[in-house]
Amino acid sequence: MGSAEEKEGIIPRFCNEMMECVSSDEKRLKVRTDPKNGPYVEGLSKYVVTTVSDIRSWLCVGNRSRVTASTGMNKSSSRSHSVLLFNVTKTTTEELHGEHHHSIICSRINLVDLAGFEKSATAKTTGLRLREATHFNTSILTLRRVISALSQQSRSLKIKKSVIPYRDSALTW
C-alpha cells in the first residue's frame, strides 16, 4: 500500500493504471466453494467504481479495518493479509451492417498485500501478537509450498502430477 510519508505502493498505483485503461470492525473471513464459480470469500460486499477516487475511498475503508500493531521491528506492523478483488467489465457498442451490437469484456484481477513473515524473537512478540504472527507466517509458508509445488510440476516431465496444497490455507485457497 505504501504510506503518506513514503511512495505509493503497487496497489494504489495499479488502481490508477487500471482506471485509466478502463476509462480511455475486524473479523475472519470464510473461504467457501461454489460448484459453478469455484472459491469465494463469504460475506464480501461488491461496489461499482468508475473513478480512481472511488477506489481510493474503498481502499481507505479497507485499510481502517486492517489490523496493525507495534512490534520490536516495526511501529506499525501489518497483522493481517489484505486481498483486493476486481471484476472489471467494459461494455462497447459497435455498428455492423447498420445494426448496433454490444460486446462485453470481463476480467478478474486479484491483488494481495501480505503481512510480512515475522521471527518472534526479533520482533519481540508475545501473547496475541505472537498468535497473529503464527497465523500469517503459516499462511505465507503454505504459499511458499504451493509455489514450490507448482514450480516443480512445471519442470517435471513425469506424467504423474503432484498434489498442490492450495487448500492448506485460506490465503492460498
Side-chain angles (χ1 to χ4, degrees):
M1 294 303 299
S3 68
E5 303 85 38
E6 299 173 5
K7 186 177 179 182
E8 283 187 323
I10 191 166
I11 291 175
R13 288 185 290 154
F14 173 80
C15 293
N16 286 336
E17 291 290 323
M18 183 187 68
M19 291 309 291
E20 285 175 18
C21 291
V22 170
S23 312
S24 353
D25 339 68
E26 176 190 358
K27 63 179 179 177
R28 295 202 182 274
L29 301 176
K30 303 285 185 198
V31 177
R32 304 286 186 221
T33 304
D34 179 76
K36 183 178 177 183
N37 298 315
Y40 69 96
V41 179
E42 181 179 73
L44 289 185
S45 301
K46 294 180 181 182
Y47 300 98
V48 175
V49 294
T50 56
T51 66
V52 173
S53 178
D54 291 345
I55 294 173
R56 287 180 180 272
S57 294
W58 287 113
L59 286 175
C60 287
V61 169
N63 279 335
R64 282 195 299 269
S65 64
R66 193 157 185 203
V67 180
T68 60
S70 180
T71 68
M73 293 178 59
N74 188 343
K75 68 178 182 173
S76 182
S77 176
S78 177
R79 312 309 293 165
S80 61
H81 304 311
S82 176
V83 180
L84 183 61
L85 309 172
F86 283 102
N87 290 308
V88 181
T89 305
K90 184 173 184 176
T91 305
T92 59
T93 304
E94 59 183 70
E95 189 175 334
L96 184 61
H97 303 294
E99 293 181 13
H100 293 281
H101 298 275
H102 301 285
S103 64
I104 297 174
I105 300 170
C106 297
S107 296
R108 182 174 171 173
I109 303 161
N110 300 328
L111 301 173
V112 181
D113 184 5
L114 298 174
F117 192 85
E118 188 172 277
K119 293 182 180 178
S120 59
T122 309
K124 301 177 182 137
T125 53
T126 59
L128 175 63
R129 299 294 164 241
L130 180 59
R131 284 193 304 277
E132 289 169 344
T134 301
H135 286 296
F136 60 75
N137 283 352
T138 300
S139 65
I140 290 171
L141 288 172
T142 303
L143 177 61
R144 180 181 174 187
R145 287 195 339 264
V146 166
I147 292 169
S148 177
L150 288 168
S151 175
Q152 288 174 358
Q153 191 175 51
S154 71
R155 285 184 271 151
S156 176
L157 298 176
K158 297 177 185 175
I159 295 175
K160 183 181 176 187
K161 299 287 184 180
S162 61
V163 175
I164 309 298
Y166 292 115
R167 294 186 182 193
D168 290 0
S169 161
L171 172 67
T172 54
W173 181 232

